[in-house]
Amino acid sequence: MNTNLSSFCIFIAVFGLLGVCHGQLRMHFYEESCPHAEEIVKKIIWNRVACNSTLPAKFLRMHFHDCFVRGCDASILIDSTTNNLAEKAAIPNLSLAGFDIIDEVKTELEKTCPRVVSCADIVALAARDSVSYQFQRPIWDVLTGRRDGIISRESEALANIPSPFFNFTTLKQSFANKSLSVHDLVVLSGGHTIGVGHCNFFSNRLYNFTGKNDEDPSVNSAYATFLKTQCKSLSNNVTIVLMDPGSPLSFDNDYFKILKQNDGLFQSDAALLTDSEATYNVNEMLNSQNFFTEFAQSIMRMGAIQVLTGTSGEIRKNCSVVNP
């Protein structure tokens, strides 16, 4: 093993990703095959985020939803066909956005390096670059070398994407199924510091928590009163509410501060305070530097879930369609 590869494997071991060392995920995977790949992705993503500050939350969510179904293989990008309902058709994914920008990136990369850069890597890079625009520097490393999957099923998205209605036990199991720890669960939940939530994913906490027209007692009463002014009924599935009202467009650790005030929007947020280990990790994330350091590590672990590398999968020419 040469010195560079040895150092890489040591780095991987530190981050708990030793299994992908031989799976060919590494920094600057396209250095020789498409040297400007990451620069092209970053330029387009940064240009788009400069005009639309809601994109970081959208790309971060897309990356998360992709990795939790069949691993990080861009199966989230595949369109449904007459014979198959794809992941995009699943309820948790109906509000996803940014697919057109992924297509824009792919089109540019195909002009420069045909059939070289995977859609799966584009999704991972887009998540990092969009969130990093705020800081004008990358805030986590993205290992590349993923290949694209050829299967996308609505049913698998429904079965694998953690629900905002989950309690802690179910959340923990959902993450464990992907080889992610309670620590990763808490840290990655910090992604809720940007973005919005639709009323129908939390209004049961306001109006019918136990089926008796009651309110979730774990919600701060003042916050519940405010939410009721936004979501006036259980049937409202259109209105959106900011997940972090104080700084909704800033990627920071404020999520954990509002969580401690019982102002977490979803039941799955509040659930983090029902377990001692999770609560300990929440308290650790109240330190901003801890959050940024740990988020970088946890999202790298997430980005390595069941990756296809080497000769597995394919490099899609069009991200929304499996190669003919």
Side-chain angles (χ1 to χ4, degrees), residues 9 39 42 232:
C9 287
E39 181 183 329
K42 183 180 123 176
K232 300 184 187 299

Side-chain angles (χ1 to χ4, degrees), residues 8 19 31 41 53 124 141 144 154 171 194 257 271 275 293 305:
F8 168 70
E31 194 165 23
V41 177
S53 55
D141 291 326
T144 43
E154 176 197 28
L171 273 176
I194 52 176
K257 298 173 184 176
D275 174 81
T293 299
I305 295 173

Side-chain angles (χ1 to χ4, degrees), residues 132-300:
S132 296
Y133 175 77
Q134 169 190 337
F135 305 93
Q136 292 294 294
R137 61 177 178 80
I139 61 170
W140 70 82
D141 291 326
V142 175
L143 305 181
T144 43
R146 299 167 189 79
R147 286 170 64 86
D148 300 323
I150 59 173
I151 296 172
S152 181
R153 299 187 181 118
E154 176 197 28
S155 59
E156 294 184 354
L158 288 170
N160 286 277
I161 296 172
S163 164
F165 302 107
F166 277 180
N167 61 25
F168 182 77
T169 302
T170 319
L171 273 176
K172 180 179 179 179
Q173 187 57 56
S174 178
F175 274 68
N177 290 343
K178 308 301 175 185
S179 299
L180 295 175
S181 66
V182 168
H183 177 76
D184 294 320
L185 160 60
V186 172
V187 172
L188 292 172
S189 293
H192 284 181
T193 189
I194 52 176
V196 298
H198 284 74
C199 286
N200 53 310
F201 288 118
F202 62 83
S203 56
N204 68 305
R205 303 183 72 203
L206 308 175
Y207 298 109
N208 199 29
F209 187 58
T210 66
K212 299 177 181 178
N213 299 316
D214 55 342
E215 189 177 291
D216 181 351
S218 70
V219 184
N220 180 309
S221 59
Y223 187 46
T225 299
F226 163 73
L227 290 177
K228 286 177 180 178
T229 67
Q230 306 299 302
C231 307
K232 300 184 187 299
S233 73
L234 273 170
S235 60
N236 185 335
N237 61 359
V238 177
T239 304
I240 55 175
V241 174
L242 299 171
M243 290 193 285
D244 176 4
S247 54
L249 299 175
S250 177
F251 190 80
D252 52 35
N253 71 327
D254 282 2
Y255 165 81
F256 299 100
K257 298 173 184 176
I258 63 177
L259 193 62
K260 291 290 288 184
Q261 296 165 6
N262 294 318
D263 287 349
L265 188 61
F266 301 117
Q267 188 173 339
S268 57
D269 293 320
L272 300 181
L273 298 180
T274 65
D275 174 81
S276 58
E277 180 184 359
T279 301
Y280 175 84
N281 282 286
V282 167
N283 291 335
E284 288 284 295
M285 294 307 105
L286 294 172
N287 177 292
S288 182
Q289 189 54 56
N290 284 351
F291 171 60
F292 284 111
T293 299
E294 298 304 321
F295 190 87
Q297 297 183 24
S298 288
I299 199 164
M300 286 177 70

Side-chain angles (χ1 to χ4, degrees), residues 109-117 315:
L109 286 169
E110 285 298 303
K111 291 178 187 174
T112 310
C113 317
R115 302 292 277 272
V116 172
V117 183
I315 302 297

